[in-house]
Amino acid sequence: MQLERDNGTDRAYIASLPSKLTFLLGTGRLAKGIKKVASHLLSPLQPMPVIDMDNQAWAAKNVGLVAQQLMLASTAYGLVSAPMEGFDERRLQYQLRIPEARYHVPLVISMGYEVGTTAADTLSEPVNSTNSGTFSSISSGDKQSISSKKVRFSLEAVCYEDEFGRHVTF
Amino acid sequence: MSVLERHFFLTAVLLPPEHSEDMSSSGRKALAEAFELVSRQRYTCRSFQPQLPIPAPVLRRIVELAQMAPTSFNLQPYKLLLVRGEEGKDKLASAMMGNNAKMIQEASASVVFLADIGSLFEAYAVSILAPTFTWLFLDG
């Protein structure tokens, strides 16, 4: 929220967030039932979300986008990767001290170099970053107020090392 | 992938934004070709060169680039758990099935993706509460 506001997101968009978010929020069977009926009835009049998804599926969907991005980024840097889902989630959550009530583990991705690679073949520094995600020509032409700069949490806020909550150092 | 190819698409992607507005057609072509390369180059590799760490600045950048992914309402409902150390690898491998345990041990780094189930509720609470507090504490 604060991130959005600081970066000049449209006020009306921010004001509409609570109602939009309640629709996604899948708590309570009764509330879900009501939403389901409302969504079905309004569907012929305007596009409505289908209320079938639970919070876990919603969160996993978002993680999928990040996962693919990570694999493509690692490919660009000459690495190879392997997404894996063959693991015991209970064991994993226990071993890495992950709060199991809040976090679901959809997948694990391993990254490394192809067999036979030596340190000389690897890039040791990242290329220059522009920290600008969108082409300015696209955002200025668009009628809607989209910010040309991407707003993201700091890496430290999102990434831990070796176990949940442990600060990552590079 | 040859070093030349790699250099080519890494430089092509990172044209500064002020140039991208009037990006030349060759620049646009380079960008598209770079994406072709990255997309087609990616494959799932089931064995890695052991004992070859990913340089820290590179690993950091890769995670930062992963963060560029879009998320619902930009809530970024995920946490990443980076496993690089021996101790961490042992713990993670003990939860993996079959050949996956070996892959964790060989890999330079593994990322455990955590989907934040509570994020939606938290965001809803904040979106309700934040305007109230703004109204209370800001005059004018």
Side-chain angles (χ1 to χ4, degrees):
Chain A
M1 276 283 284
Q2 200 52 53
L3 272 175
E4 295 276 2
R5 191 169 296 133
D6 292 346
N7 285 276
T9 310
D10 191 16
R11 287 194 81 86
Y13 172 76
I14 292 175
S16 74
L17 273 178
S19 57
K20 283 181 178 167
L21 286 170
T22 23
F23 239 95
L24 271 171
L25 198 64
T27 42
R29 203 163 287 174
L30 180 68
K32 206 169 177 176
I34 294 170
K35 278 188 285 183
K36 230 173 184 169
V37 172
S39 179
H40 263 294
L41 291 176
L42 287 171
S43 178
L45 304 175
Q46 65 175 87
M48 295 296 286
V50 175
I51 314 294
D52 265 338
M53 200 168 47
D54 57 357
N55 287 359
Q56 184 171 313
W58 171 83
K61 176 170 71 176
N62 283 281
V63 161
L65 302 177
V66 182
Q68 178 68 358
Q69 186 89 1
L70 184 98
M71 287 191 284
L72 292 179
S74 61
T75 307
Y77 276 97
L79 294 154
V80 286
S81 54
M84 293 178 274
E85 52 178 0
F87 54 83
D88 186 329
E89 191 175 341
R90 289 151 298 193
R91 281 185 180 222
L92 200 152
Q93 285 170 330
Y94 172 77
Q95 291 285 359
L96 303 179
R97 298 170 187 272
I98 298 161
E100 75 271 12
R102 178 151 184 177
Y103 295 98
H104 160 58
V105 187
L107 82 164
V108 177
I109 293 179
S110 277
M111 302 182 295
Y113 295 98
E114 273 180 330
V115 176
T117 311
T118 58
D121 304 329
T122 66
L123 278 173
S124 57
E125 287 292 324
V127 294
N128 290 331
S129 170
T130 59
N131 198 30
S132 168
T134 333
F135 291 137
S136 36
S137 58
I138 295 171
S139 49
S140 62
D142 201 307
K143 288 279 191 314
Q144 287 187 338
S145 65
I146 49 169
S147 40
S148 61
K149 199 180 163 197
K150 287 191 182 182
V151 188
R152 295 292 183 269
F153 295 136
S154 71
L155 185 139
E156 280 73 17
V158 167
C159 190
Y160 299 126
E161 184 158 9
D162 283 349
E163 67 176 42
F164 189 87
R166 189 180 285 176
H167 191 73
V168 66
T169 46
F170 284 104
Chain B
M1 185 191 338
S2 72
V3 174
L4 193 70
E5 273 178 337
R6 194 184 300 153
H7 178 78
F8 165 69
F9 69 56
L10 286 175
T11 44
V13 170
L14 284 138
L15 295 165
E18 55 268 30
H19 293 175
S20 62
E21 198 161 3
D22 48 1
M23 193 164 47
S24 63
S25 66
S26 67
R28 287 186 190 282
K29 206 175 158 197
L31 192 64
E33 279 168 354
F35 188 73
E36 283 273 341
L37 271 173
V38 183
S39 302
R40 295 180 194 278
Q41 202 89 48
R42 193 212 62 78
Y43 73 102
T44 298
C45 189
R46 304 215 174 271
S47 60
F48 303 98
Q49 174 67 38
Q51 312 290 333
L52 185 57
I54 303 167
V58 171
L59 188 56
R60 187 188 171 91
R61 179 61 62 79
I62 288 171
V63 177
E64 281 171 352
L65 289 175
Q67 285 185 273
M68 293 298 110
T71 52
S72 183
F73 294 97
N74 199 16
L75 286 177
Q76 302 165 62
Y78 59 88
K79 293 270 187 284
L80 307 174
L81 232 154
L82 194 60
V83 178
R84 287 185 291 178
E86 285 307 315
E87 189 197 348
K89 278 186 187 176
D90 288 342
K91 281 184 181 172
L92 180 56
S94 73
M96 305 301 288
M97 300 191 298
N99 187 49
N100 287 356
K102 193 184 115 255
M103 284 162 71
I104 295 289
Q105 295 287 3
E106 275 182 7
S108 312
S110 298
V111 181
V112 180
F113 284 81
L114 310 181
D116 189 347
I117 302 163
S119 168
L120 203 49
F121 182 76
E122 203 174 84
Y124 174 63
V126 169
S127 70
I128 290 287
L129 293 174
T132 318
F133 285 116
T134 316
W135 186 78
L136 277 173
F137 294 113
L138 293 181
D139 46 345

